[in-house]
Amino acid sequence: MAKKTVDLISEFVDQKIIEENLESIVGERFGRYSKYIIQDRALPDVRDGLKPVQRRVLYSMFKLGMFSDKPYKKSARIVGDVIGKYHPHGDTSVYDAMVRLSQTWKMLTPLVDMHGNNGSIDGDSSAAMRYTEARMSAASEILLQDIEKRTVDFVPNFDDEEYEPTVLPSRYPNLLCNGATGISAGYATEIPPHNLREVINAVVKRIEKPDITIDDVIKIMRGPDFPTGAIVQGKDEIRKAFETGRGRIIIRSRTMIENQQIIVTEIPYEVNKAALVRKIDDIRIKKQIDGIDEVRDESDREGLRIVVDVKKGFDPQVIESFLLKKTNLTKSYNYNMVAINNKRPMLMGVLQIIDAYILHQKEVITNRSNYDLRRAEKRLHVVDGIIKMMDVLDEVIVLIRASKNKKDAKTKLSKAFKFSEEQAEAIVTLQLYRLSSTDIKSLQEEMRSLQETIAELQLILNNETELERVIVDELRTIQRKLATKRLTDIEEEIEKITISEEELIAEEQVVVGITKEGYIKSTSIRSYRATEEVTLRDNDSMIFVDEVSTLNTILMFTNKGNYVYLPVYKIPSYKWRDLGTHINNIVQLEEDEFIIKVLRINDFSEPKSLLFVTKKNLIKQTALADFDVSRYTKTIRAIALNKGDEVVAIDITDNPDAEVIIFSQRGEALRFNLNEIPLTSTTAKGVKGMNLSSKQHLASGIVLKNHHDLLVLSNRGHIKRIGVTEIPKKRRTNKGVQMYKIVRSNPHLVQDTCIMNATQYKNRVIIRINTTTQEVLVNAFDVKYEKSENGKQFVRPKKGTPLFMDIEQVEEDPSITPLSDYVREEDHEIVQQQLFE
């Protein structure tokens, strides 16, 4: 017995097992699910502009008699009725849909009139449904107008106990008036609201002139009209959206500036006001822009109002532009007009939507006219029978009195006087007072009225022009009842907000420090002066220390021919004793790439140029303006290099008639005019420097100034001071003059050069010599004209260690006698005495 039971169970289970490919099972079920959520959940119908849940909420309220002139009823009652009869889903989704229909900042024409807390533009949620009350708005009554006259199709509900409409009569074009938003499977829709008066005018124009174009429509229906107002920019994109269903517009807040205050009175559609205020305050706290003193939300029952207080000395216009660019005070909106048309999702232009609506209205008016015609004809038939009965009233009375019952009376009336079933029913149920002469007259008047009504209805049903006239007349009536003035202004062009970041920065003086290992920092002058010793890593030293403005720009050039463009205000701020941040945290350098020159630039429009000297005997001159860029998140090409070449020297000058000296490694020097080097772009390679043997390389180069001496640093730590006139002037590409004594073992090789003026000499400025292991500071006064051909040794570097030299810059004093005017003296004390007397 047990075995038999097991066999039966196994047989039953086997019958229930379906053997089918998993791919086809999932595909078929997902297809059904997709079809459901596309048609019956997320996308609106093009005819009434409603999703199923919205339609069911409004129809349920209609059936409950919750009209705009009736008392409010609890929202929970409505939600319960919707769930129980039409929408078998969670109460939250139904209530949320109903709340949205009541929110004046989301619906241009609200369809639900809610009493109580229905949320806010700050993103606050509504009160629970047990606390709020609701009823239909006047607009939603018009959407449902004539629904009881069989104007639309009805289908059974989920349990076949009720009937619900597949679409509402929608006596005005709700899809364009209130818009829609939704996400489905493979489809999404984003339709903005438009002004009801303009939409109806466009529909009427389309009926009256079927060949109307998009250009004609856009003159009538100017663009979206958001319930939050604001300003829409981009008329071309509106036209594109009207034509194709897709387009991108910009919504900009309505702002004004009063007494160092930026006042916002309207914000873009579906922007959370509280989040917007927080964002502006975050900008203030994080100092993304200087000048914002306070942000306040002063909104009240009078309307929206956000106030941004601007500090004195700052331009409110600049701060307003920054906020418009960086926050949701300006927001883009993308038209994506997808709706269900003929049970299919379609991307539609405005004319397609209007045509679908007009077709729907023709069906509604036709169905209503047929319904009214049937009722009028039926009533006319009855009235005609009663009037005929008056001619034989006495016989009718006798016949009825002689009848056994009502049924018998109706049968005798039909046989005796040829009355129809309906006429006989009306006669036997007629009240005696209706037999008075007054009522007879009223019946005759009703008969004439019914005949006129029937004639009008037949004309509507048989004449397309008359049908369209009725639609137009009724739309005009609704327009007068519901139309409101436009809230959103339309502007022709999208305004491009361009902000110079320098405008957002308060100018102040700071000290910038950069080390040869690439550590960089910005600090206040106070911190710099209060710190006796800077913190450096082992074997590192400073290659740039200068007091600069936050509006200046630092250019850092590398041996690879690249440069880093770094506005001073973007340099991280540290205390002077801190190490700072590495340049790779700002801009990534290559592994074997390092900084060889740092320049501070006040104004890129100044008539200056940069000189580049490369190891493989190329020199190039490029205008300073070419180095000004707007994007600088990575290194930028300053000079194109051949394979194996690298930059060895960079200098800047404002004198196109200046002279240049370039040095080879072995100490050959060539002096020539700067104008022999053509001005080329940052992507050029340059021209040949001097006549060198194939084994020689250039080591340095510098632009000369009048009355300056030249300091040359060798690999053995010697500084040689040279009067410029000692080097004969030649043409570019000539052979240079040997400045060092040639020796075979451990020769002096040029490492770096700089120039020194009399002011620096007198002020005993510091000459900084950097190696990879140490930094040596040399007093300029200690660098003399040496009898030795190789100069004086100031540092003893390890063999093969690269050296760099930099001299402290001071403003040149023209009253000091130039160095070049002094006659060379064997006794340096005579020169010293002349200088300091």
Side-chain angles (χ1 to χ4, degrees), residues 636-803:
I636 309 160
R637 175 64 62 193
I639 178 174
L641 296 177
N642 294 320
K643 186 176 181 181
D645 199 2
E646 64 180 34
V647 179
V648 294
I650 298 167
D651 202 5
I652 187 169
T653 181
D654 59 359
N655 182 10
D657 298 323
E659 295 178 348
V660 174
I661 287 183
I662 55 176
F663 279 88
S664 71
Q665 273 187 315
R666 290 285 184 172
E668 294 174 73
L670 180 64
R671 173 176 158 225
F672 57 93
N673 288 330
L674 176 65
N675 55 26
E676 291 188 49
I677 308 172
L679 272 172
T680 55
S681 70
T682 56
T683 56
K685 289 185 176 181
V687 294
K688 183 179 178 180
M690 71 166 72
N691 186 2
L692 280 178
S693 66
S694 59
K695 295 182 179 181
Q696 281 292 306
H697 299 296
L698 291 186
S700 185
I702 197 165
V703 180
L704 298 175
K705 293 183 181 179
N706 293 332
H707 314 300
H708 286 51
D709 275 357
L710 188 65
L711 305 183
V712 183
L713 175 66
S714 77
N715 63 320
R716 292 169 61 178
H718 289 238
I719 295 179
K720 182 172 183 178
R721 179 172 163 185
I722 304 171
V724 173
T725 55
E726 293 181 29
I727 304 172
K729 188 175 180 181
K730 297 183 180 182
R731 301 280 297 178
R732 181 176 63 83
T733 72
N734 284 351
K735 191 170 179 62
V737 178
Q738 187 68 45
M739 301 305 298
Y740 281 110
K741 183 179 179 180
I742 299 176
V743 294
R744 290 187 177 181
S745 62
N746 196 17
H748 283 272
L749 302 177
V750 175
Q751 293 284 295
D752 203 358
T753 57
C754 68
I755 52 177
M756 179 176 67
N757 60 44
T759 307
Q760 291 168 319
Y761 186 62
K762 177 183 177 181
N763 290 341
R764 302 181 183 230
V765 299
I766 297 300
I767 299 170
R768 185 183 291 108
I769 302 174
N770 287 302
T771 75
T772 54
T773 58
Q774 63 180 316
E775 179 183 60
V776 176
L777 304 180
V778 177
N779 190 312
F781 205 77
D782 293 335
V783 182
K784 304 176 177 64
Y785 293 112
E786 294 291 334
K787 295 177 183 179
S788 168
E789 294 184 21
N790 300 322
K792 181 181 178 180
Q793 188 173 37
F794 290 94
V795 61
R796 296 184 181 277
K798 293 181 180 179
K799 190 173 182 179
T801 300
L803 286 82

Side-chain angles (χ1 to χ4, degrees), residues 344-619:
R344 293 181 57 201
M346 289 180 61
L347 178 67
M348 309 173 75
V350 165
L351 287 179
Q352 291 174 283
I353 293 174
I354 290 175
D355 287 344
Y357 175 75
I358 292 172
L359 180 61
H360 175 56
Q361 286 309 296
K362 287 181 177 179
E363 292 177 358
V364 168
I365 300 299
T366 299
N367 291 340
R368 184 188 69 183
S369 299
N370 278 321
Y371 179 86
D372 288 341
L373 180 61
R374 287 193 299 271
R375 295 194 64 177
E377 288 175 339
K378 184 177 180 181
R379 178 60 183 167
L380 179 62
H381 181 64
V382 170
V383 170
D384 184 51
I386 294 173
I387 291 175
K388 287 179 181 179
M389 181 267 296
M390 299 302 294
D391 295 334
V392 289
L393 180 60
D394 294 338
E395 292 91 330
V396 169
I397 293 172
V398 171
L399 187 148
I400 291 175
R401 290 188 68 183
S403 299
K404 296 178 181 178
N405 51 38
K406 180 182 177 182
K407 183 178 180 181
D408 185 39
K410 288 167 61 178
T411 303
K412 289 178 178 179
L413 285 171
S414 298
K415 287 182 179 180
F417 304 106
K418 306 300 181 184
F419 288 126
S420 68
E421 174 73 19
E422 292 81 5
Q423 290 173 329
E425 176 69 22
I427 291 169
V428 297
T429 57
L430 190 69
Q431 293 175 317
L432 290 176
Y433 78 89
R434 300 294 302 274
L435 301 177
S436 65
S437 59
T438 304
D439 276 6
I440 296 301
K441 288 180 181 179
S442 67
L443 286 170
Q444 290 172 341
E445 290 175 1
E446 183 182 358
M447 184 177 184
R448 284 192 296 273
S449 175
L450 288 169
Q451 288 171 341
E452 292 173 0
T453 300
I454 289 169
E456 289 176 4
L457 292 171
Q458 287 175 338
L459 182 62
I460 291 170
L461 292 170
N462 298 323
N463 189 310
E464 184 81 6
T465 303
E466 187 64 21
L467 174 62
E468 290 176 347
R469 182 196 64 77
V470 171
I471 295 173
V472 169
D473 289 346
E474 293 187 0
L475 281 172
R476 292 294 189 198
T477 302
I478 293 167
Q479 187 184 48
R480 287 190 292 271
K481 184 176 181 180
L482 296 182
T484 56
K485 67 177 183 179
R486 170 171 275 278
L487 301 174
T488 300
D489 290 338
I490 307 295
E491 293 183 353
E492 193 84 21
E493 300 293 331
I494 295 176
E495 181 185 348
K496 291 185 178 179
I497 303 172
T498 55
I499 310 168
S500 171
E501 286 194 77
E502 286 76 8
E503 294 178 334
L504 311 178
I505 304 301
E507 183 175 9
E508 61 177 317
Q509 294 298 115
V510 294
V511 175
V512 170
I514 302 173
T515 75
K516 70 179 189 323
E517 290 291 330
Y519 286 91
I520 183 169
K521 61 187 169 185
S522 169
T523 191
S524 66
I525 295 174
R526 180 180 178 183
S527 175
Y528 173 73
R529 291 175 177 171
T531 306
E532 293 182 1
E533 191 171 330
V534 65
T535 301
L536 295 170
R537 296 178 69 91
D538 291 342
N539 303 326
D540 197 6
S541 58
M542 303 299 295
I543 60 172
F544 180 85
V545 177
D546 200 2
E547 184 178 321
V548 299
S549 166
T550 50
L551 300 183
N552 290 164
T553 302
I554 298 295
L555 297 183
M556 291 178 280
F557 294 88
T558 73
N559 62 316
K560 294 288 188 179
N562 301 319
Y563 72 99
V564 177
Y565 183 104
L566 187 58
V568 171
Y569 63 83
K570 285 189 171 289
I571 299 175
S573 181
Y574 291 90
K575 293 180 180 179
W576 188 248
R577 67 170 176 268
D578 295 336
L579 183 63
T581 187
H582 198 272
I583 188 64
N584 281 348
N585 294 324
I586 303 173
V587 176
Q588 191 71 35
L589 301 183
E590 294 179 19
E591 188 174 350
D592 56 346
E593 188 174 16
F594 54 87
I595 299 166
I596 61 170
K597 185 70 174 181
V598 179
L599 297 175
R600 178 191 69 179
I601 307 299
N602 299 326
D603 184 1
F604 281 92
S605 64
E606 291 179 348
K608 294 182 178 182
S609 64
L610 271 68
L611 173 72
F612 291 84
V613 180
T614 77
K615 184 177 180 181
K616 291 194 172 181
N617 198 19
L618 291 177
I619 52 178

Side-chain angles (χ1 to χ4, degrees), residues 10-206:
S10 298
E11 183 180 349
F12 175 78
V13 170
D14 290 340
Q15 290 174 354
K16 297 297 181 182
I17 293 175
I18 300 172
E19 292 187 7
E20 194 173 342
N21 189 293
L22 179 62
E23 183 178 345
S24 61
I25 292 174
V26 173
E28 187 267 335
R29 281 158 176 73
F30 186 77
R32 291 203 321 243
Y33 166 74
S34 300
K35 182 175 183 292
Y36 168 74
I37 62 171
I38 289 170
Q39 293 185 352
D40 297 312
R41 182 185 294 179
L43 300 182
D45 193 292
V46 70
R47 297 168 292 177
D48 63 4
L50 297 174
K51 300 176 186 179
V53 64
Q54 297 170 329
R55 189 179 300 116
R56 287 163 175 169
V57 166
L58 296 181
Y59 183 66
S60 177
M61 296 175 80
F62 175 82
K63 294 293 285 182
L64 289 170
M66 302 173 66
F67 302 112
S68 60
D69 56 350
K70 296 293 190 290
Y72 294 94
K73 286 187 172 61
K74 284 289 183 183
S75 299
R77 180 176 178 181
I78 303 165
V79 172
D81 192 71
V82 172
I83 293 172
K85 291 182 178 179
Y86 311 113
H87 198 71
H89 298 278
D91 58 355
T92 303
S93 62
V94 176
Y95 183 54
D96 287 348
M98 187 171 76
V99 167
R100 182 181 174 86
L101 292 176
S102 75
Q103 292 176 332
T104 55
W105 58 95
K106 290 186 177 177
M107 304 289 289
L108 187 61
T109 308
L111 301 179
V112 172
D113 180 8
M114 187 166 281
H115 192 191
N117 174 16
N118 66 337
S120 75
I121 197 172
D122 290 326
D124 301 319
S125 58
S126 59
M129 68 181 80
R130 62 182 179 276
Y131 298 119
T132 60
E133 299 174 336
R135 63 183 178 188
M136 298 172 71
S137 69
S140 60
E141 286 183 15
I142 294 172
L143 284 181
L144 287 137
Q145 185 177 309
D146 298 328
I147 195 171
E148 73 282 358
K149 294 184 178 182
R150 300 177 186 174
T151 51
V152 294
D153 292 334
F154 279 74
V155 294
N157 70 339
F158 61 90
D159 60 2
D160 295 335
E161 290 186 1
E162 302 279 344
Y163 281 89
E164 61 174 315
T166 57
V167 66
L168 299 187
S170 187
R171 305 313 310 283
Y172 66 90
N174 180 60
L175 181 63
L176 288 173
C177 292
N178 268 323
T181 182
I183 299 174
S184 180
Y187 292 91
T189 186
E190 200 69 54
I191 305 174
H194 299 79
N195 186 268
L196 184 140
R197 184 192 304 277
E198 296 176 4
V199 172
I200 289 179
N201 285 340
V203 173
V204 170
K205 192 71 173 178
R206 181 67 167 175

